[in-house]
Amino acid sequence: MALEKITQVTGRGVFVPGDDIDTDRIIPARFMKCVTFDGLGVFAFADARLHDKEAGRVHPLDDPRFSGATILLSGSNFGCGSSREHAPQSLYRFGHRAIIAESFAEIFFGNSTTLGVPCVKMSQQDIAGLASIIESDPAALITIDLEENKVTVADVDFSGEITMPGHAREALTTGRWDSIADLVDGLDEVRNRVASIPYLASGAS
Amino acid sequence: MGKTLLDKVWDEHTVRTLPDGRTQLLIGTHLIHEVTSPQAFGMLRDLGLKVLYPNRTFATVDHIVPTDQREEPFSDPLADAMVKELRKNCAETGVTFFDLPSGNQGIVHIVGPEQGITQPGTTIACGDSHTSTHGAFGAIAFGIGTSQVRDVLATQTMAISKPKVRRINVDGKLAPGVYAKDVTLHIIRHLGVNGGIGYAYEYGGSTFDSFTQEERMTVCNMAIEGGARVGYVNPDETTFEYLRGRPYSPKGAEWDASVSRWKATASDSDCVYDDVVNFKAEDILPTVTWGITPAQAVFIDEAIPYPEALPEKDRATAIEALEHMKVSPGTPVSGLRIDVAFLGSCTNGRLSDLQEVAKYIRGHKVAPHVKAIVVPGSQGVAAIAEKMGLAEIFREAGFEWRGAGCSMCLGMNPDKLVGDQLCASSSNRNFKGRQGSPTGRTMLMSPLMVAAAALSGEVTDARKVFGIN
Ligand code: SF4
């Protein structure tokens, strides 16, 4: 299965500040009653957005200045909590194609990579720098370069170093981010392994 | 040099190294539920793939099941559709389904162990982050996303990198009134909600050695709240005794062979860990959370911290937590008035949790302004508890006795907080909006502390309420 090779993501950014933004925040559980992921985009950060609206504030995702942004910026331990793939699915369907944060929770990171959404780590200082650039110019075009390990902004003197585990970079840049094809390739070896493990061999059909 | 349990299980289940460097890891046991599996079956159909080993996947319904109205159709058509979708998917693919009428339905992390499906030395995956619970048996158990549910259905494997191992020792004897829940909250409070990223937590030490199997499950359940995707305890006689005679446990000669294999999977005494952290049981007191992450916790005799007194990296979240929880720094947690008490979930909805509370609440009454519900973690737990007369004890004290499910742990079924209600909860997450109301407030604590709060109408030290010393 040939997938797109993701080496760069370019787009406008939006900053949702905060540490430990959990998956209940990204998509509250009551919006997960669905048998497909199709309609989840509208529920991204649903409660936080409503809360801001009621308090007379504008949540970054509802701020017209950042409408159409495809790169999400946030704090540390982004995506902690539940394993729900509904979280990256809702961000993806909202339009986000990459996430820059200080750090990511593991399951969220893996779920995002499988959707072809790079999650890259950048220092708090650089995230703050990038956030202030987009605050003053929401149209600033950000480029995440997975091969050069850096984030740059068109026509602005900014360069932030990013890190990402090697396997995820490899998977994204070689177009193997959805692992199903590779896993299916190994099926003969899977059957052999099953036959060699006592608790599986006995009942395997 | 010896090997850890993780090393041994990993080696045995490694199929090959994938082109991106990750391991194609065989998943021996796959558990599914109604929320994260329907999309996976859909993807499978789109790709024209089949379930490779239907006998290695087991299903149940828990998240969306109402705990009062148990007959179908459920009043929520979406919930009803999700149960029917899972039933159809299981029937079509030959996956065993612990369905509502079976008498064996319940929270997936309670059903696996009680059926004897969760076994030492195995790999387990489930589309739910609290799959770490199963590590209590010496299994390596991963919470996974829906695309990985698809991967496991289609190939019985998934792509994953091997974590490092942090050994967490807790030694000594817990004081009366201090529970496994306090131990797990204490560990998270000290290592942080992201301290475990990249690690599997191996829990051990004399406190764990003397823990029951159910207490070990409570701690492993919350490994993920500390950022560790996997948590486990080395299997021992306690584990084997728990598993003996369960429906899916090995029988006869196979039992003896299994036990010797299980023993051999425990970490070797000369293995080397990537990190070691030590705690003393006697330092741990009843613990409650005051904020919006499980690490924002204090002992029952402490006050809510001042953000300025916290390490700088924790301040912003603390300020956000104070605002959401509508509490002021310096206020003792003891005395906060609660509206709801929830006793249940995959952390503390097991028989021993209900037994422990029932032991103390006779002759007490739930405070008039408190709504208190008890939700057994499975139909199996409910049946035994009812037979033992526990349900009656709870009802007499003014608790509602419900049917098995996730209930108020998360807002996916009719059990939800309303407005900014404050809930004393035996569950595992106090995230904003977790219990179904965007402004709802959750304080995590042990089952006995939940009961004490229900009776007193406020957060309070269960040891004082019940004269435990
Ligand atoms: S009880 Fe709560 S944490 Fe456990 S599986 Fe259900 S929703 Fe998840």
Side-chain angles (χ1 to χ4, degrees):
Chain A
M1 196 165 42
L3 298 168
E4 182 199 351
K5 294 187 166 87
I6 301 173
T7 53
Q8 277 194 352
V9 180
T10 297
R12 292 159 46 210
V14 57
F15 181 41
V16 176
D19 293 335
D20 306 315
I21 290 186
D22 57 74
T23 50
D24 279 81
R25 202 96 63 89
I26 299 170
I27 182 165
R30 58 184 196 286
F31 302 120
M32 287 163 46
K33 276 185 243 159
C34 57
V35 293
T36 73
F37 290 128
D38 297 343
L40 294 185
V42 292
F43 300 128
F45 283 95
D47 285 346
R49 288 159 67 189
L50 185 68
H51 181 72
D52 278 355
K53 199 168 167 189
E54 284 169 356
R57 296 187 299 246
V58 182
H59 189 275
L61 295 196
D62 287 321
D63 190 331
R65 291 181 300 150
F66 305 118
S67 129
T70 56
I71 296 177
L72 176 67
L73 273 71
S74 194
S76 73
N77 200 27
F78 188 80
C80 61
S82 148
S83 64
R84 59 187 71 160
E85 189 170 311
H86 304 67
Q89 287 276 2
S90 74
L91 296 178
Y92 181 82
R93 282 156 209 271
F94 188 85
H96 296 147
R97 291 295 176 267
I99 308 173
I100 304 175
E102 279 170 66
S103 61
F104 295 90
E106 263 171 75
I107 305 179
F108 179 88
F109 179 91
N111 286 344
S112 301
T113 308
T114 307
L115 297 182
V117 175
C119 291
V120 299
K121 287 211 271 187
M122 196 161 79
S123 72
Q124 186 182 22
Q125 209 181 349
D126 283 342
I127 290 174
L130 192 54
S132 73
I133 292 170
I134 58 179
E135 180 62 34
S136 55
D137 177 14
L141 263 195
I142 301 169
T143 294
I144 302 173
D145 192 320
L146 298 182
E147 285 171 329
E148 300 285 322
N149 291 322
K150 66 179 187 199
V151 170
T152 50
V153 184
D155 308 321
V156 179
D157 181 22
F158 174 88
S159 176
E161 201 182 312
I162 56 171
T163 55
M164 173 178 246
H167 66 77
R169 171 178 298 103
E170 183 69 19
L172 290 161
T173 55
T174 60
R176 316 182 86 105
W177 33 272
D178 184 343
S179 43
I180 186 72
D182 285 329
L183 295 175
V184 168
D185 274 351
L187 279 188
D188 287 341
E189 288 162 80
V190 171
R191 290 196 183 89
N192 290 338
R193 192 89 306 229
V194 165
S196 75
I197 298 181
Y199 78 95
L200 295 174
S202 53
S205 47
Chain B
M1 193 176 74
K3 290 166 121 188
T4 62
L5 179 142
L6 180 95
D7 292 329
K8 296 181 198 183
V9 175
W10 197 272
D11 291 351
E12 187 175 32
H13 291 80
T14 294
V15 173
R16 60 182 191 137
T17 303
L18 292 166
D20 66 9
R22 284 186 292 177
T23 302
Q24 180 167 8
L25 190 74
L26 188 63
I27 297 302
T29 303
H30 185 208
L31 305 169
I32 59 173
H33 61 80
E34 75 282 16
V35 180
T36 56
S37 70
Q39 306 84 352
F41 282 104
M43 296 175 193
L44 222 56
R45 281 184 204 108
D46 291 348
L47 292 167
L49 294 167
K50 285 200 160 47
V51 179
L52 186 63
Y53 292 111
N55 61 330
R56 295 310 309 171
T57 294
F58 302 87
T60 192
V61 276
D62 46 15
H63 288 67
I64 55 99
V65 181
T67 61
D68 43 7
Q69 180 222 340
R70 304 286 282 182
E71 304 76 37
E72 293 170 58
F74 301 137
S75 51
D76 176 349
L78 287 172
D80 200 64
M82 288 171 80
V83 173
K84 294 189 168 52
E85 180 81 11
L86 181 57
R87 193 172 285 141
K88 182 190 86 172
N89 284 329
C90 290
E92 276 176 11
T93 57
V95 164
T96 301
F97 182 24
F98 299 109
D99 198 351
L100 283 158
S102 72
N104 294 317
Q105 168 268 343
I107 305 173
V108 64
H109 311 308
I110 295 195
V111 170
E114 79 184 1
Q115 290 294 325
I117 292 167
T118 301
Q119 295 177 10
T122 61
T123 47
I124 300 179
C126 174
D128 190 283
S129 58
H130 294 102
T131 306
S132 58
T133 312
H134 306 264
F137 291 79
I140 298 300
F142 302 95
I144 58 177
T146 295
S147 296
Q148 284 177 306
V149 173
R150 169 205 64 186
D151 292 352
V152 178
L153 287 172
T155 71
Q156 205 63 39
T157 61
M158 61 185 210
I160 189 159
S161 329
K162 189 178 174 184
K164 294 183 282 187
V165 182
R166 172 178 292 145
R167 166 84 176 192
I168 297 180
N169 290 307
V170 185
D171 281 296
K173 206 170 147 14
L174 292 174
V178 181
Y179 295 97
K181 180 62 158 289
D182 301 306
V183 172
T184 202
L185 286 171
H186 187 75
I187 293 171
I188 297 164
R189 179 183 177 184
H190 287 275
L191 300 181
V193 286
N194 55 7
I197 293 180
Y199 283 97
Y201 279 175
E202 177 180 305
Y203 300 102
S206 63
T207 309
F208 279 92
D209 293 342
S210 60
F211 266 170
T212 63
Q213 200 51 42
E214 300 205 340
E215 289 172 315
R216 295 175 188 180
M217 282 190 249
T218 296
V219 178
C220 290
N221 176 270
M222 292 190 69
I224 185 68
E225 307 311 329
R229 189 176 193 174
V230 165
Y232 67 88
V233 177
N234 285 304
D236 61 8
E237 290 304 325
T238 304
T239 321
F240 312 145
E241 273 320 301
Y242 178 97
L243 285 172
R244 190 190 292 275
R246 297 204 174 250
Y248 285 81
S249 295
K251 310 270 172 341
E254 221 197 302
W255 168 260
D256 295 330
S258 301
V259 170
S260 21
R261 278 199 306 273
W262 292 344
K263 281 186 179 153
T265 59
S267 292
D268 297 327
S269 53
D270 59 343
C271 69
V272 177
Y273 298 102
D274 299 289
D275 190 28
V276 180
V277 179
N278 298 304
F279 293 95
K280 279 201 233 126
E282 71 212 40
D283 294 341
I284 305 173
L285 295 178
T287 301
V288 299
T289 62
W290 56 269
I292 54 171
T293 82
Q296 291 172 325
V298 292
F299 292 144
I300 185 63
D301 59 3
E302 288 182 87
I304 294 163
Y306 286 90
E308 313 82 87
L310 297 171
E312 202 196 324
K313 64 175 181 33
D314 298 335
R315 278 181 215 159
T317 311
I319 292 166
E320 192 182 348
L322 293 169
E323 188 197 337
H324 179 81
M325 295 299 288
K326 303 187 170 133
V327 291
S328 323
T331 312
V333 280
S334 181
L336 290 174
R337 184 183 158 99
I338 66 152
D339 306 293
V340 177
F342 169 55
L343 182 47
S345 87
C346 59
T347 321
N348 283 123
R350 298 188 181 77
L351 187 64
S352 57
D353 298 310
L354 306 185
Q355 278 178 300
E356 183 67 15
V357 174
K359 223 163 77 184
Y360 291 102
I361 60 168
R362 268 181 226 260
H364 290 271
K365 282 273 181 230
V366 169
H369 71 273
V370 172
K371 177 188 174 71
I373 66 172
V374 183
V375 187
S378 69
Q379 293 179 338
V381 169
I384 304 172
E386 280 161 20
K387 210 158 145 201
M388 291 172 75
L390 306 186
E392 228 13 74
I393 296 175
F394 279 108
R395 281 200 200 98
E396 268 168 31
F399 290 83
E400 291 175 40
W401 179 260
R402 297 291 187 85
C406 295
S407 181
M408 214 180 257
C409 177
L410 93 170
M412 278 201 84
N413 55 71
D415 303 340
K416 291 184 176 72
L417 295 183
V418 180
D420 67 355
Q421 281 181 325
L422 183 64
C423 179
S425 179
S426 70
S427 58
N428 47 36
R429 286 199 173 131
N430 52 347
F431 300 157
K432 280 180 172 179
R434 171 71 180 182
Q435 292 192 285
S437 161
T439 50
R441 298 171 295 156
T442 305
M443 296 180 76
L444 306 175
M445 58 192 82
S446 74
L448 198 66
M449 288 284 286
V450 169
L455 305 175
S456 317
E458 58 186 39
V459 176
T460 185
D461 192 337
R463 297 170 304 175
K464 289 186 188 143
V465 174
F466 302 116
I468 301 169
N469 44 42

